[in-house]
Amino acid sequence: VQLVESGGGSVQAGDSLRLTCVASGRAFNTYDMGWFRQRPGKEREFVAAIQWAGGGKYYRDSVKGRFNISRVNTKVTTVYLQMNNLKVEDTAVYTCVAGRKDEYTDNSDFRTMDYRGKGTRVTVSS
């Protein structure tokens, strides 16, 4: 089983980035997929999730209207996080996750997700 993230990098405030996560090794089409991040000196926090049944989307309050999560299920599951109008405070290591929950909130716990990637770094400068 692998969750492999890509797309991180260094950008200016106001720029956009798209993160990609490729999940393979099992049937991730029946798992919710999402992203957490760990900002410098902070605890890891929920960012966004998309449910496998119904496609419901959840976002943390600070990224609503700027980030969009989507997924494509083929032989593997690919999850995208489109991040627009990036802010300095979005600087973090972003980690792809897979799990099954009734809902996701700002307080969702990274440790309860079933599968986790290694992360990709996003740096936003002013």
Side-chain angles (χ1 to χ4, degrees):
V1 172
Q2 279 190 306
L3 277 66
V4 180
E5 304 96 335
S6 62
S10 296
V11 297
Q12 297 285 107
D15 286 349
S16 298
L17 272 179
R18 187 175 78 161
L19 304 183
T20 300
C21 170
V22 178
S24 61
R26 69 163 303 144
F28 282 101
N29 58 314
T30 59
Y31 277 81
D32 305 336
M33 302 297 298
W35 295 88
F36 280 71
R37 69 184 181 188
Q38 187 164 23
R39 297 187 289 160
K42 303 286 187 180
E43 295 291 318
R44 195 175 271 113
E45 61 189 18
F46 168 77
V47 177
I50 181 168
Q51 292 180 306
W52 72 272
K57 298 182 180 182
Y58 299 84
Y59 299 94
R60 77 176 295 104
D61 287 344
S62 62
V63 308
K64 285 178 181 175
R66 300 189 297 121
F67 290 14
N68 183 62
I69 188 170
S70 59
R71 65 187 295 166
V72 176
N73 296 314
T74 56
K75 293 178 70 174
V76 297
T77 291
T78 303
V79 186
Y80 302 101
L81 185 68
Q82 178 67 42
M83 306 186 296
N84 300 322
N85 189 22
L86 282 161
K87 302 179 179 182
V88 172
E89 52 265 40
D90 293 320
T91 294
V93 175
Y94 286 73
T95 303
C96 180
V97 299
R100 290 178 178 140
K101 295 187 181 296
D102 292 335
E103 65 174 4
Y104 296 84
T105 71
D106 287 10
N107 296 318
S108 291
D109 191 342
F110 177 80
R111 295 167 296 181
T112 64
M113 301 306 293
D114 296 318
Y115 301 96
R116 299 173 286 274
K118 293 185 177 180
T120 184
R121 186 175 299 275
V122 173
T123 302
V124 185
S125 56
S126 59

